[in-house]
């Protein structure tokens, strides 16, 4: 793609990088075939290629964003399926993130929308505050069936069970059982701590059972992904810088073999810290170090080698949902299913598994109609397999899918914990089919 940036524009590093990405695109249109929003809406401006043209025009003109550009960029899930498909290797992820930052700096959203986005950016990354907010919204959540759109989506989220702080969340080192193989740090996350603390608890049990000292460092909070993808670049980088510093400090004091994530959205963010923080004089080194150490838990367990202490605890078929942030963002696709198979579970392949479920961070609230359509499509695909339960590696996908199917939804690591000596996942306690 030809671009027409001036020399003065290209003097800005972010614009120079955007220019390189834009010039990589060859207009082939293969990305349209795997873009969820284009498949639903049929508007090329809601495809990666169309959005690239919109971003190019906006940046070349050095113009404020307008309502049209904002609408179509907001509709992007950042599922990154287009990057898996693209033969030219277009770095769409960083281009659309840059566009989102430009939109937030130059476009004034309606007051109600600004308030909602600020609310999500402030509350969700803070587990304590999120717990209080969910408790306060328990009553209004009963009215969720009466509302559609963003209000309905928020009320449905408020109606989910929330939990107090888990023992895993406090700074500590949990020693390996038996011979130590690795020393790893765990990112406990933010939303996951509030909605599903059992995931991190299962992760710690599996890791210590497989010879890992597990460190929960002080100061490692939100990874910054939520704010960053809302276009709040300053808040996102600040959160990322603090978290990177916490892990780097732990690596310097006791050494680390890996920084482990159980939420693939967070893992994709951590692996991008080298890029995100490269211009931050205080945290550039920390970011590069953490990015090099970051591993999804399925990657680390593959390196360690899974040791099943007993036959698979259930013969019920499992549908594995491959989260976009894992299969497209991190290019981790084989390891989760290989681990589940090694643990003895019977797996069912989900049709169109590359297609997003519609979660995408806060997308299922801010773009609730599109998200609901994608969630229904994903649920039908999963149910068509005849599976009795669903496994996924990202809390956002788990919440989204559970909102559209009656099948129990669990994290992959909960099943691996169960198969290697841990308790039955809590989501399965009431199930008679598993």
């Amino acid at each position: 793609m030809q671009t027409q940036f001036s020399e003065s524009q290209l003097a800005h590093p972010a614009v120079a990088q955007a220019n390189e990405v834009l010039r990589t695109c060859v207009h082939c249109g293969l990305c349209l075939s795997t873009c969820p929003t284009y498949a639903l809406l049929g508007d090329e401006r809601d495809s990666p290629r169309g959005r690239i043209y919109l971003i190019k025009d906006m940046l070349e003109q050095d113009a404020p964003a307008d309502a049209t550009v904002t609408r179509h960029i907001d509709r992007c899930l950042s599922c990154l399926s287009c990057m898996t498909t693209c033969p030219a290797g277009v770095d769409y992820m960083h281009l659309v993130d840059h566009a989102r930052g430009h939109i937030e700096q130059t476009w004034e959203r309606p007051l109600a929308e600004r308030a909602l986005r600020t609310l999500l950016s402030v509350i969700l990354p803070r587990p304590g505050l999120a717990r209080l907010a969910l408790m306060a919204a328990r009553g209004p959540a009963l009215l969720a069936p009466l509302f559609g759109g963003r209000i309905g989506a928020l009320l449905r989220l408020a109606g989910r069970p929330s939990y107090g702080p888990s023992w895993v969340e406090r700074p500590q080192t949990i020693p390996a059982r038996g011979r130590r193989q690795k020393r790893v740090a765990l990112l406990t996350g933010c939303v996951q701590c509030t909605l599903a603390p059992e995931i991190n608890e299962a992760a710690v049990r599996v890791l210590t059972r497989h010879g890992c000292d597990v460190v929960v460092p002080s100061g490692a909070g939100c990874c910054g992904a939520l704010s960053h993808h809302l276009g709040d670049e300053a808040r996102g980088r600040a959160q990322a810088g603090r978290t990177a510093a916490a892990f780097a400090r732990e690596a310097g004091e006791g050494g680390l073999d890996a920084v482990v994530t159980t939420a693939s959205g967070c893992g994709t963010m951590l692996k991008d810290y080298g890029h995100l923080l490269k211009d931050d004089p205080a945290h550039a080194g920390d970011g590069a170090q953490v990015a090099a150490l970051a591993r999804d838990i399925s990657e680390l367990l593959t390196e360690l080698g899974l040791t099943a202490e007993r036959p698979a605890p259930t013969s019920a078929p499992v549908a594995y949902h491959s989260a976009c942030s894992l299969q497209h963002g991190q290019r981790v696709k084989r390891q989760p299913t290989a681990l589940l198979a090694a643990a003895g579970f019977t797996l069912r392949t989900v049709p169109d598994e590359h297609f997003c479920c519609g979660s995408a961070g806060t997308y299922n609230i801010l773009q609730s109609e599109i998200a609901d359509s994608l969630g229904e499509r994903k649920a039908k695909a999963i149910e068509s397999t005849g599976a009795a339960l669903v496994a996924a590696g990202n809390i956002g996908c788990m919440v989204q899918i559970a909102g559209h199917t009656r099948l129990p939804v669990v994290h992959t690591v909960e099943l691996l914990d169960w198969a290697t000596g841990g308790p039955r996942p809590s989501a399965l306690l009431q199930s008679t089919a598993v």
Side-chain angles (χ1 to χ4, degrees), residues 249-423:
R249 185 167 55 249
E250 192 62 48
E253 292 175 358
L256 288 176
D257 296 297
V259 174
V260 185
T261 62
T262 54
S264 61
C266 300
T268 302
M269 186 69 168
L270 258 63
K271 289 182 178 182
D272 196 44
Y273 271 10
H275 177 274
L276 183 72
L277 298 172
K278 69 180 186 302
D279 297 320
D280 183 338
H283 299 301
D286 297 341
Q289 183 178 19
V290 172
L293 289 170
R295 298 285 187 281
D296 182 76
I297 193 165
S298 65
E299 293 180 285
L300 184 62
L301 289 174
T302 299
E303 293 173 17
L304 291 166
L306 192 72
T307 303
E309 297 180 358
R310 59 191 180 195
T314 179
S315 60
V318 179
Y320 172 72
H321 165 71
S322 187
C324 295
S325 48
L326 197 55
Q327 65 168 314
H328 303 307
Q330 299 184 49
R331 303 299 172 94
V332 173
K333 189 172 181 180
R334 176 189 57 82
Q335 294 91 326
T337 51
L339 288 166
L340 290 169
F345 291 101
T346 301
L347 298 178
R348 296 285 171 83
T349 300
V350 178
D352 290 335
E353 64 176 354
H354 69 278
F355 221 73
C356 184
C357 69
S359 171
T362 58
Y363 190 96
N364 55 359
I365 295 172
L366 296 174
Q367 300 289 332
S368 57
E369 292 183 4
I370 297 174
D372 282 345
S373 295
L374 292 172
E376 289 167 8
R377 172 176 173 150
K378 179 61 68 174
K380 288 178 182 177
I382 289 170
E383 291 168 357
S384 74
T385 68
L389 70 153
V390 186
N394 187 54
I395 181 63
C397 300
M398 293 171 63
V399 171
Q400 173 75 349
I401 293 169
H404 294 278
T405 182
R406 294 185 178 181
L407 295 177
V409 184
V410 298
H411 195 286
T412 306
V413 79
E414 293 182 90
L415 292 182
L416 298 177
D417 177 41
W418 189 24
T420 57

Side-chain angles (χ1 to χ4, degrees), residues 194-224:
T194 307
L195 299 180
E198 64 271 15
I199 295 173
N200 285 330
E201 293 169 3
V204 169
R205 289 192 295 267
V206 171
L207 290 171
T208 55
R209 197 177 292 137
H210 287 78
C212 293
D213 283 352
V214 180
V215 181
V216 181
S218 177
C222 178
C223 67

Side-chain angles (χ1 to χ4, degrees), residues 18-336:
N19 180 55
E20 291 179 10
V21 176
L22 290 166
R23 291 175 69 86
T24 306
C25 179
V26 296
H27 318 268
C28 68
L30 290 177
C31 55
L32 277 66
S33 65
T34 57
C35 176
T37 50
Y38 179 72
L40 284 180
L41 304 172
D43 186 335
E44 179 147 351
R45 294 172 298 178
D46 288 311
S47 75
R49 184 172 66 179
R51 293 185 179 108
I52 285 172
Y53 275 108
L54 291 173
I55 294 168
K56 172 182 177 292
D57 290 345
M58 177 177 68
L59 296 181
E60 277 185 342
Q61 295 170 25
D62 199 13
D66 58 26
T68 298
V69 172
T70 300
R71 179 172 60 255
H72 294 294
I73 299 302
D74 282 353
R75 285 178 179 171
C76 175
L77 293 139
S78 281
C79 69
L80 307 183
S81 179
C82 57
M83 290 184 63
T84 298
T85 307
C86 180
V90 175
D91 186 1
Y92 179 81
M93 178 177 77
H94 291 128
L95 181 66
V96 78
D97 282 345
H98 177 63
R100 288 192 171 113
H102 184 84
I103 288 169
E104 291 310 300
Q105 292 171 14
T106 63
W107 171 252
E108 186 170 357
R109 297 177 182 273
L111 179 60
E113 187 174 345
R114 292 204 309 274
L116 176 58
R117 293 169 74 92
T118 300
L119 185 74
L120 295 173
S121 187
V122 170
I123 291 179
L124 292 182
R126 295 169 172 82
L129 196 55
R131 290 181 181 111
L132 290 174
L134 289 174
M135 288 175 61
R138 279 288 179 266
L142 298 174
L143 302 175
L146 303 178
F147 292 90
R150 294 170 179 174
I151 299 299
L154 273 174
L155 292 176
R156 288 195 297 272
L157 177 63
R160 287 185 57 86
S162 61
Y163 302 88
S166 165
W167 61 270
V168 173
E169 293 174 43
R170 65 177 183 269
Q172 60 188 301
T173 297
I174 304 132
R177 299 181 187 180
R179 183 177 65 87
R180 192 185 89 169
Q181 296 192 61
K182 293 181 183 291
R183 185 174 189 266
V184 304
L186 177 68
L187 177 70
T188 56
C190 46
V191 174
Q192 183 169 281
C193 291
T194 307
L195 299 180
E198 64 271 15
I199 295 173
N200 285 330
E201 293 169 3
V204 169
R205 289 192 295 267
V206 171
L207 290 171
T208 55
R209 197 177 292 137
H210 287 78
C212 293
D213 283 352
V214 180
V215 181
V216 181
S218 177
C222 178
C223 67
L226 190 148
S227 295
H228 182 67
H229 294 310
L230 284 171
D232 190 346
E233 295 178 315
R235 192 192 302 270
R237 284 199 177 95
Q239 291 168 336
R242 287 192 295 270
T243 295
F247 284 120
R249 185 167 55 249
E250 192 62 48
E253 292 175 358
L256 288 176
D257 296 297
V259 174
V260 185
T261 62
T262 54
S264 61
C266 300
T268 302
M269 186 69 168
L270 258 63
K271 289 182 178 182
D272 196 44
Y273 271 10
H275 177 274
L276 183 72
L277 298 172
K278 69 180 186 302
D279 297 320
D280 183 338
H283 299 301
D286 297 341
Q289 183 178 19
V290 172
L293 289 170
R295 298 285 187 281
D296 182 76
I297 193 165
S298 65
E299 293 180 285
L300 184 62
L301 289 174
T302 299
E303 293 173 17
L304 291 166
L306 192 72
T307 303
E309 297 180 358
R310 59 191 180 195
T314 179
S315 60
V318 179
Y320 172 72
H321 165 71
S322 187
C324 295
S325 48
L326 197 55
Q327 65 168 314
H328 303 307
Q330 299 184 49
R331 303 299 172 94
V332 173
K333 189 172 181 180
R334 176 189 57 82
Q335 294 91 326

